[in-house]
Amino acid sequence: MEPDDLNSLSPDDAKLEAWLRANASLPRLPDDGFSCRVLAALPPVSRKARVSERRRVVLCGAAVGVIVAVALYFAGTPGDFVWPTAGPAAGDLVAQFADPKLPVALGVALVTLGITFWRQVCRWVRI
Amino acid sequence: MTDAELIARVLVSDDHAAFGELVGRHQSAVRHFLRHLSGGDAALADDLAQETFVQAWRGIGRFRGASSFATWLLGIAHNHWRNARRKQRTVSAEPEHLAALETVPSQAPLSDLRHDLGRAMQTLAAEEQTVLHLNFQQGLTHSEIADVLQWPLGTVKTHLNRGKEKLRPLLASWNPTI
């Protein structure tokens, strides 16, 4: 038969609980190399870390790109920068690259992509 | 450094050293619990404890801090033990884990009191033993025990009360006032 109120402790219960707490507690088990065994069994660094590393690099690249774009915007007058259009003569495209701003922007983009996907590039090269 | 700080390090940078510190802090509780569940089989308990910590490493991102880290680990340990027991049952009809208590030689001589307490505990139902172990030997609260075992709080309290009532006469010779 259960007591009506499972939350309440009779004086006898309180004594028994106190006695059990005092006498039943377990001594701490010595490690005896258990922690080392666990660490040796852990899987290698998860993809999670690599992904977050990649995310950081992409964010840094994006931040640099934004800074460069803003700097270029404020450095020149609006209209200075003309986007290359498809179809015009090759001479026009070469003229676009004569402006140092475009190669700088492309360079930043390429370096960012290179750093971000360095592992994949290495893998492709090996294949 | 607190458990929360160590967990943050593991989450941010897969810090093995921080996880090693967490293992060192909690190995005793987890191994004691699994030894209790496996009827004193230290080798089996340690294998399960290792799996418990590896599982914790993999799933530490799911630890939300709603309970203590120790409680979360004990919950994983309990699940591992249940899975192991299920597999064992499909291989052979092993006797209930409590029966194994008598056959496992103790590694150190027990005091008379501990010996009597152990014998008295063996007379209880498995659920009562587990609840008493977590409450009095590991120091968990009723709600923490409910979290670990995934039982309703009322069930935990019922088993606890039944266990105590059964223990009372068996331990009276040690302390007549109880």
Side-chain angles (χ1 to χ4, degrees), chain A residues 16-25, chain B residues 117 132 136 164 167 171:
Chain A
L16 177 63
E17 290 211 354
W19 188 87
L20 283 170
R21 276 184 224 292
N23 295 292
S25 63
Chain B
L117 186 56
L132 285 167
F136 297 111
K164 281 190 301 187
L167 278 185
L171 298 173

Side-chain angles (χ1 to χ4, degrees), chain A residues 18 24 35:
Chain A
S35 298

